[in-house]
């Protein structure tokens, strides 16, 4: 039975040297590569000596295995299989002394080593294994110590950037200097937040990110390293983006990736710190704007002065927009996304416009000259990737100054709610375009409105009987066509005589509305109130 692979820890040695670099040490100056030249980039992290037949049960990945061939002296036929077994277990290379127990290596073994890229090294007979072990292990440990010291130095430098109040730009600049690469900080949506490095290299980096992210290396790494590397920025269980590096010379090594990972940890601190600051600032902005829109922010001069501190201009003629989430959505996540979409839309259309998220809505105050419908369409387009949530938007009349913004806010809020009830979720309505619904929305006593509907429409005010809803639809079309019987019959697909029968039934229920214009007005208003049910 074939010896099992021993799943052992790699210990504390996490860095190593390539096989090509091992061949450069003085004790192996007379060593000769027999086969497997394409595998010179394999990493050596430890050494082992093969002097027992069952060595396969004890080898570990990234080992340089040394042997005199003693265990194989009586079974030369097993040499052909040995390379495949060692390669399967992740060994770096095999060094062998010939002439004592094995005179030459089989051609099959050499061919297989070349095919697998597994280095076979002919060791000089006058060099002891202990000398090779001491020199190579010393080199590996020195290399690891240097890498760890460099990583620690980089970590201290990056932490100092944060302690000094630096942001992603400063972190990227520090990494670019430490590794001599170009660096970009990218958010979770793929937008580049900060870059550092030579302009032409940054351009290459941006292009690779805009395509589909930096290319991923395949196969064994080259002795130098790789051209691109990317590590995620994680904080609080959330993915905040990534740190991406590009080296025009392709010299990003594993140790450099370790420094990038430390940079990503520091970037996560920057991101969470900024999120905390943004949350506090957003609360202050929302509280101030709410006070302005409810008339509790003080004089116009005080409002104007405080607004400037937020980068807002509330002294100019303005329009108020209210975006209110429609019912039946995932309210918490949708509300956060709604605020983000509206904030981005306002920044694009009016950088001095005010925008803030309240508990169930987003309110924006923009220049009266801005096309409010276009802003709403822009925000809705960005919000469209959050199904099934939707929002309705209301727009006020132009407000001449800060002192009239509370009235404009009330108009926009009414427009949003009436528009939703008239046109369904996702409606966009302007207060001046509500017509009679605007007047009805100003009636605060909804009980009185409903009583008016019941008194005017009688049994047609209820949907308990399906025939009542059908008759109400006939009445509505008759009023819309100004009692044009022929046009009403065409719209409802009724025969003329059928419609005459229905008109008679309606008049028995409601009164002689065909001859009484005042009754027709009352019926029209009652039907409008029904459309606005809930107002």
């Amino acid at each position: 039975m074939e010896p099992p692979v021993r799943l052992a820890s790699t210990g504390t040695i996490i860095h190593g040297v390539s096989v090509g670099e091992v061949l450069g040490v003085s004790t192996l100056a007379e060593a000769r590569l027999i086969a497997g030249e394409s595998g010179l980039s394999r990493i050596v992290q430890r050494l082992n000596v093969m002097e027992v037949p069952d060595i396969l049960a004890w080898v570990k990945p990234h080992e340089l295995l040394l042997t005199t061939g003693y265990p194989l002296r009586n079974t030369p036929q097993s040499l052909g299989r040995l390379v495949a077994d060692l390669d399967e277990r992740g060994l770096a290379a095999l060094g062998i002394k010939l002439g004592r127990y094995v005179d030459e290596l089989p051609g099959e073994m050499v061919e297989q080593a070349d095919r697998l890229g597994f280095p076979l090294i002919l060791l000089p007979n006058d060099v002891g294994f202990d000398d090779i072990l001491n020199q190579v292990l010393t080199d590996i440990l020195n290399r690891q110590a240097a890498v760890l010291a460099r990583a620690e130095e980089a970590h201290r430098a990056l932490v100092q950037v944060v302690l000094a109040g630096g942001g992603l730009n400063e972190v990227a600049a520090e990494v670019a200097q430490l590794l001599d690469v170009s660096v970009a900080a990218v958010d979770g949506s793929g937008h580049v937040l900060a870059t550092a490095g030579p302009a032409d290299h940054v351009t290459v980096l941006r292009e690779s990110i805009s395509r589909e992210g930096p290319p991923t290396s395949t196969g064994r790494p080259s002795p130098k390293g790789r051209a691109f590397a990317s590590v995620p920025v994680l904080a609080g269980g959330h993915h905040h983006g990534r740190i991406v590096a590009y080296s025009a010379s392709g010299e990003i090594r594993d140790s450099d990736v370790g420094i990038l990972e430390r940079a990503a940890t520091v970037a996560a601190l920057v991101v969470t710190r900024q999120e905390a600051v943004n949350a506090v600032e957003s609360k202050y902005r929302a509280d101030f704007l709410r006070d302005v829109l409810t008339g509790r922010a003080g004089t116009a001069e005080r409002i104007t002065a405080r607004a400037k501190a937020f980068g807002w201009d509330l002294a100019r003629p303005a329009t108020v927009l209210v975006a209110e989430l429609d019912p039946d959505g995932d309210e918490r996540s949708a509300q956060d996304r709604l605020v983000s979409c509206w904030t981005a839309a306002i920044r694009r259309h009016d950088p001095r416009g005010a925008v803030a998220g309240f508990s169930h809505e987003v309110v924006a105050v923009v220049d009266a000259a801005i096309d409010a419908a276009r802003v709403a369409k822009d925000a809705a387009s960005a919000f469209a990737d959050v199904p099934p949530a939707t929002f309705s938007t209301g727009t006020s009349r132009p407000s001449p100054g800060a002192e009239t913004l509370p009235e404009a806010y009330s108009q926009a809020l009414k427009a949003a709610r009436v528009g939703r009830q008239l046109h369904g979720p996702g409606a966009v309505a302007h207060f001046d375009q509500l017509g009679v619904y605007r007047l009805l929305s100003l009636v605060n006593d909804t009980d009185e409105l409903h009583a008016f509907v019941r008194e005017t429409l009688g049994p047609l005010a209820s949907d308990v009987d399906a025939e009542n809803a059908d008759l109400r639809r006939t009445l509505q079309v008759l009023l819309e066509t100004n009692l044009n019987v022929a046009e009403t019959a065409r719209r409802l697909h009724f025969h003329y005589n059928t419609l005459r029968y229905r008109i008679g039934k309606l008049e028995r229920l409601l009164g002689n509305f065909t001859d009484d214009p005042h009754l027709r007005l009352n019926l029209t208003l009652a039907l409008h109130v029904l459309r606005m049910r809930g107002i």
Side-chain angles (χ1 to χ4, degrees):
M1 179 181 295
E2 182 179 358
V5 178
R6 184 176 181 228
L7 301 177
S9 168
T10 59
T12 59
I13 298 178
I14 59 175
H15 299 287
V17 295
S18 69
V19 175
E21 291 172 314
V22 168
L23 290 174
V25 302
S26 60
T27 54
L28 295 178
E30 302 299 324
R32 182 166 61 87
L33 183 69
I34 302 174
E37 184 177 1
S38 62
L40 288 178
S41 61
R42 290 178 181 239
I43 299 300
V44 177
Q45 291 182 342
R46 58 184 60 80
L47 287 84
N48 198 353
V49 177
M50 175 186 182
E51 296 299 352
V52 292
D54 62 343
I55 188 65
L56 292 177
W58 304 100
V59 295
K60 301 174 184 178
H62 301 296
E63 276 186 346
L64 169 59
L65 186 61
L66 308 176
T67 182
T68 60
Y70 178 79
L72 307 170
R73 66 192 187 286
N74 297 322
T75 56
Q77 67 276 9
S78 65
L79 289 173
R81 178 62 192 165
L82 180 62
V83 168
D85 290 337
L86 296 178
D87 180 71
E88 183 179 343
R89 285 158 175 76
L91 263 73
L94 172 65
I96 187 168
K97 289 186 177 184
L98 297 179
R100 294 187 180 183
Y101 306 106
V102 177
D103 293 328
E104 62 180 1
L105 299 179
E108 177 189 355
M109 183 179 184
V110 174
E111 291 175 3
Q112 193 170 46
D114 277 328
R115 186 171 63 254
L116 296 174
F118 183 84
L120 289 180
I121 302 169
L122 178 59
L123 300 174
N125 286 321
D126 58 347
V127 177
F129 284 170
D130 57 339
D131 293 329
I132 298 174
L133 290 169
N134 287 335
Q135 190 169 21
V136 175
L137 283 176
T138 298
D139 195 8
I140 291 174
L141 292 174
N142 287 341
R143 182 75 59 89
Q144 172 159 313
V147 168
L148 292 176
R150 179 172 176 245
E152 185 62 28
E153 179 185 353
H155 183 71
R156 284 198 299 269
L158 290 167
V159 170
Q160 187 59 40
V161 168
V162 178
L163 293 177
L168 291 177
N169 284 315
E170 288 74 19
V171 171
E174 188 68 28
V175 175
Q177 182 177 356
L178 287 168
L179 303 183
D180 192 23
V181 295
S182 297
V183 179
V186 185
D187 68 12
S189 302
H191 299 117
V192 177
L193 303 177
T195 60
D200 53 339
H201 295 176
V202 169
T203 299
V204 174
L205 187 56
R206 283 181 176 275
E207 289 174 352
S208 70
I209 293 169
S210 64
R211 285 195 298 268
E212 288 179 342
T216 302
S217 301
T218 57
R220 299 186 187 279
S222 69
K224 287 185 177 181
R226 72 212 77 177
F228 289 93
S230 176
V231 296
V233 176
L234 304 173
H238 298 289
H239 188 283
H240 293 279
R242 53 204 168 107
I243 300 292
V244 187
Y246 166 65
S247 170
S249 59
E251 294 184 349
I252 300 179
R253 303 173 183 271
D254 289 342
S255 58
D256 297 331
V257 174
I259 292 177
L260 285 177
E261 290 171 347
R262 291 178 180 247
T265 301
V266 172
L269 292 175
V270 173
V271 170
T272 52
R273 181 189 66 188
Q274 189 58 48
E275 285 183 345
V277 171
N278 290 342
V280 173
E281 288 184 350
S282 295
K283 182 180 184 305
Y284 279 122
R285 288 169 182 264
D287 289 346
F288 171 62
L289 189 57
R290 184 182 289 108
D291 287 344
V292 171
L293 298 176
T294 54
R296 296 179 298 177
T299 64
E301 291 76 12
R302 185 171 182 271
I303 291 172
T304 300
R306 287 196 61 189
K308 284 183 178 179
F310 293 123
W312 299 343
D313 184 357
L314 299 184
R316 59 186 175 172
T319 300
V320 177
L321 295 93
V322 170
E324 193 174 49
L325 281 173
D326 296 320
D328 305 325
D330 183 355
E331 192 167 306
R332 182 63 268 166
S333 60
Q335 177 68 12
D336 292 340
R337 180 65 177 156
L338 185 66
V339 174
S340 298
C341 292
W342 271 91
T343 300
I346 297 302
R347 292 295 167 264
R348 283 191 292 271
H349 292 273
D350 184 9
R352 294 190 298 162
V355 59
F358 297 166
S359 57
H360 300 287
E361 65 198 38
V362 175
V363 181
V365 182
V366 300
D367 189 342
I370 298 289
D371 185 347
R374 185 178 176 187
V375 177
K377 184 178 180 180
D378 190 0
S381 177
F383 192 72
D385 63 348
V386 195
T390 57
F391 65 87
S392 297
T393 307
T395 306
S396 74
R397 293 170 173 167
S399 167
E403 62 278 356
T404 57
L405 285 176
E407 181 182 355
Y409 170 60
S410 177
Q411 294 170 359
L413 193 59
K414 284 187 173 68
R417 294 177 178 176
V418 173
R420 177 192 297 116
Q421 290 174 347
L422 294 180
H423 308 296
V428 178
H430 193 288
F431 186 73
D432 280 343
Q433 296 171 349
L434 297 179
V436 69
Y437 298 105
R438 184 176 79 227
L439 298 176
L440 294 174
S441 71
L442 298 175
V443 179
N444 295 323
D445 191 345
T446 56
D447 290 338
E448 185 63 33
L449 284 176
H450 293 159
F452 171 73
V453 171
R454 290 192 299 271
E455 293 168 3
T456 305
L457 294 179
L460 300 189
S462 170
D463 289 337
V464 175
D465 188 341
E467 184 182 8
N468 289 341
D470 195 28
L471 285 172
R472 192 169 67 238
R473 170 62 179 157
T474 301
L475 174 64
Q476 181 176 333
V477 177
L478 273 169
L479 295 172
E480 288 175 354
T481 61
N482 198 24
L483 301 183
N484 187 321
V485 178
E487 176 62 16
T488 302
R490 186 187 66 80
R491 288 193 189 182
L492 297 175
H493 306 289
F494 287 158
H495 188 275
Y496 185 85
N497 291 334
T498 301
L499 183 58
R500 296 300 307 178
Y501 168 78
R502 283 179 170 247
I503 292 173
K505 189 170 185 178
L506 284 169
E507 289 200 316
R508 288 193 295 274
L509 289 171
L510 305 173
N512 189 17
F513 64 87
T514 56
D515 293 326
D516 187 346
H518 296 291
L519 179 55
R520 288 200 299 274
L521 175 59
N522 288 343
L523 291 171
T524 301
L525 288 174
L527 290 172
H528 284 333
V529 172
L530 273 183
R531 284 193 70 186
M532 294 174 55
R533 186 165 305 189
I535 294 295

